[in-house]
Amino acid sequence: ALLDEARAQLPASPSAALAVLDRHRARFPNGALTLEADLVRVEALVTAGRTAEARKLAARLTRQHPGGLVDERVRKWLPDSG
C-alpha cells in the first residue's frame, strides 16, 4: 500500500513520494519489496531533480543486482548510467 501511495504521489509531488518511501523504509527495513521501493526512489529522486543522489543509489542497486530488471529500470530514468 505504501509503494502504491508513493507511485501515486510521484508525478505531482516527488518530495511527497520520497516521504512515503521513507515511511516504507522505516516500517519494512528488510522487507520483500525493498528493491522495488529503492527503484521507485531512484525515479522520485530523478523527478525531484536530485540526480546525484539518484545516480548514487542506482550504482549501488546495479552492483547488488547486476543485469535484468534493475539495469533496465535504472537506464529508463538515468539513460547514461550503466
Side-chain angles (χ1 to χ4, degrees), residues 2 5 8 11 14 17-19 22 25 35-36 38 40 42 45 48-50 54 59 64-65 70 73 76 80:
L2 287 173
E5 183 181 341
L18 289 165
D22 289 343
R25 181 183 287 161
L35 175 58
E36 179 62 22
D38 283 343
V40 174
V42 169
L45 288 168
R50 295 165 55 181
Q64 291 174 340
H65 307 277
V70 172
R73 296 266 303 269
K76 178 180 177 182
D80 56 345

Side-chain angles (χ1 to χ4, degrees), residues 56-74:
K56 184 177 178 181
L57 176 56
R60 180 176 60 82
L61 294 175
T62 55
R63 276 193 313 273
Q64 291 174 340
H65 307 277
L69 175 66
V70 172
D71 284 344
E72 182 180 313
R73 296 266 303 269
V74 165

Side-chain angles (χ1 to χ4, degrees), residues 10-59:
L10 206 150
S13 181
S15 60
L18 289 165
V20 172
L21 291 168
D22 289 343
R23 289 192 346 248
H24 182 274
R25 181 183 287 161
R27 189 168 177 190
F28 308 106
N30 299 306
L33 297 176
T34 299
L35 175 58
E36 179 62 22
D38 283 343
L39 289 168
V40 174
R41 183 177 295 276
V42 169
E43 180 180 353
L45 288 168
V46 170
T47 304
R50 295 165 55 181
T51 308
E53 290 173 75
R55 287 185 192 290
K56 184 177 178 181
L57 176 56

